[in-house]
Amino acid sequence: FLFVCFKSIACTCIMGSPSQIYDDYDYIFTGKVTDIKEYYPDSKRVKQISFSIEENFKADIDFSLINVDRPDGMCPIPYLVLNSSYIFYVNKEDGVVNISICNPTLRLEKSKKKLDRYKFYVEELRLIKEAISENEETIVFDNVIKNSISSGRRFARGITKYLDANFKKEDYKSGLGFYLVVFDDTDFKSNHLIIRKSHGDKIDDAIKKYIKSEEFLTYLEKIKVKYKSSENLMLPILIQKPLNDLD
């Protein structure tokens, strides 16, 4: 993630979806705040918590406490509430696990729209974990191709490619379609598609056509230098049903 702070204006946090920020954090998991161990002096802001793990998406959890940075008045920090569940994104430095400013940790809330968003991000993380466990050396999530729809409070970052496709509501057969473009040589001249999770024939066929298009080849020219030595490189394509349309 990136953050920019200026004294005269509020902090701006630039984040991505779970797939875009997967590599930025050491530990990603869903869990519940089980105890508030410490508050900041003269404040209701949480300084340290203990937690229970519900589902883990990355490295093994070898700690029991999480520290939370003190708000600086500009840059946001997740507000942690006792007995609430979250998707936690945390890093460890010098043995200390910490949530810092502009952290994407997301709370499970009861409103339907926010609950749908939470469930969608959990599903995306599950797909990422499964794909990486099978293709750890070749799949990259710092370049993700997505359809350009609203994704709530998170914002696109980096050189992620947005697929220019006008799918209709009835075209989406699930909440999330997940595809892997596999390159058969280091020149990126030959590729094929692995469908990890289908969105139905119409969208699947559109993705197959897209990866042979001039638009896709132009995109590859922008990133091929970065991955020129990679063999059997895999680029992910994630097609999300608009959150407002999730069942």
Side-chain angles (χ1 to χ4, degrees):
F1 67 91
L2 299 173
F3 65 88
V4 182
C5 290
F6 300 95
K7 290 184 179 180
S8 59
I9 62 174
C11 173
T12 299
C13 298
I14 303 174
M15 299 183 231
S17 69
S19 56
Q20 293 168 281
I21 59 179
Y22 189 88
D23 290 334
D24 293 344
Y25 292 90
D26 300 327
Y27 306 91
I28 304 173
F29 60 96
T30 57
K32 179 178 288 188
V33 177
T34 56
D35 191 18
I36 307 296
K37 293 294 185 180
E38 188 177 356
Y39 290 91
Y40 282 101
D42 302 320
S43 172
K44 294 182 179 180
R45 297 295 304 210
V46 172
K47 184 176 182 179
Q48 188 182 74
I49 65 160
S50 60
F51 59 92
S52 61
I53 301 170
E54 295 169 352
E55 186 171 359
N56 187 21
F57 301 108
K58 204 170 182 184
D60 291 339
I61 308 299
D62 58 357
F63 52 90
S64 59
L65 299 174
I66 298 175
N67 294 306
V68 184
D69 280 359
R70 186 166 192 159
D72 64 1
M74 293 187 296
C75 295
I77 290 180
Y79 187 80
L80 302 184
V81 178
L82 183 64
N83 295 324
S84 288
S85 293
Y86 297 82
I87 303 174
F88 286 100
Y89 296 82
V90 296
N91 283 321
K92 181 188 284 188
E93 186 173 353
D94 298 328
V96 177
V97 179
N98 193 58
I99 291 177
S100 58
I101 60 174
C102 289
N103 183 286
T105 289
L106 182 67
R107 184 182 178 187
L108 171 59
E109 299 189 53
K110 293 182 178 180
S111 72
K112 185 180 187 305
K113 185 175 181 179
K114 291 181 178 179
L115 179 60
D116 285 343
R117 181 175 296 119
Y118 185 94
K119 289 179 177 178
F120 167 76
Y121 286 137
V122 168
E123 181 183 10
E124 187 172 337
L125 285 166
R126 285 175 182 152
L127 290 171
I128 293 168
K129 180 181 178 181
E130 290 173 3
I132 288 178
S133 68
E134 297 175 17
N135 309 281
E136 184 175 1
E137 299 301 321
T138 54
I139 190 169
V140 292
F141 275 98
D142 53 351
N143 291 93
V144 183
I145 300 171
K146 308 192 81 168
N147 54 324
S148 54
I149 64 171
S150 173
S151 58
R153 67 185 181 88
R154 299 162 189 261
F155 302 92
R157 64 175 180 82
I159 57 172
T160 289
K161 169 67 177 174
Y162 279 93
L163 178 64
D164 184 17
N166 297 314
F167 298 126
K168 298 178 181 179
K169 180 179 179 179
E170 57 269 23
D171 295 336
Y172 297 93
K173 303 306 180 185
S174 62
L176 182 69
F178 184 27
Y179 310 84
L180 292 174
V181 185
V182 183
F183 296 93
D184 304 313
D185 53 55
T186 55
D187 293 330
F188 292 0
K189 292 181 179 179
S190 175
N191 64 58
H192 65 277
L193 191 70
I194 296 176
I195 301 175
R196 297 285 309 202
K197 185 176 181 184
S198 173
H199 238 324
D201 290 343
K202 186 166 185 177
I203 292 180
D204 291 355
D205 289 344
I207 299 302
K208 291 175 184 177
K209 183 177 180 181
Y210 170 73
I211 67 171
K212 304 296 183 180
S213 69
E214 286 297 322
E215 180 186 349
F216 184 66
L217 293 176
T218 300
Y219 172 66
L220 291 180
E221 288 297 321
K222 295 180 181 179
I223 66 169
K224 66 186 300 183
V225 174
K226 187 175 182 180
Y227 301 112
K228 63 182 179 180
S229 62
S230 299
E231 295 183 1
N232 299 317
L233 177 72
M234 297 185 183
L235 289 180
I237 299 179
L238 285 155
I239 304 298
Q240 175 189 338
K241 184 176 183 180
L243 291 170
N244 290 339
D245 295 333
L246 288 174
D247 296 327

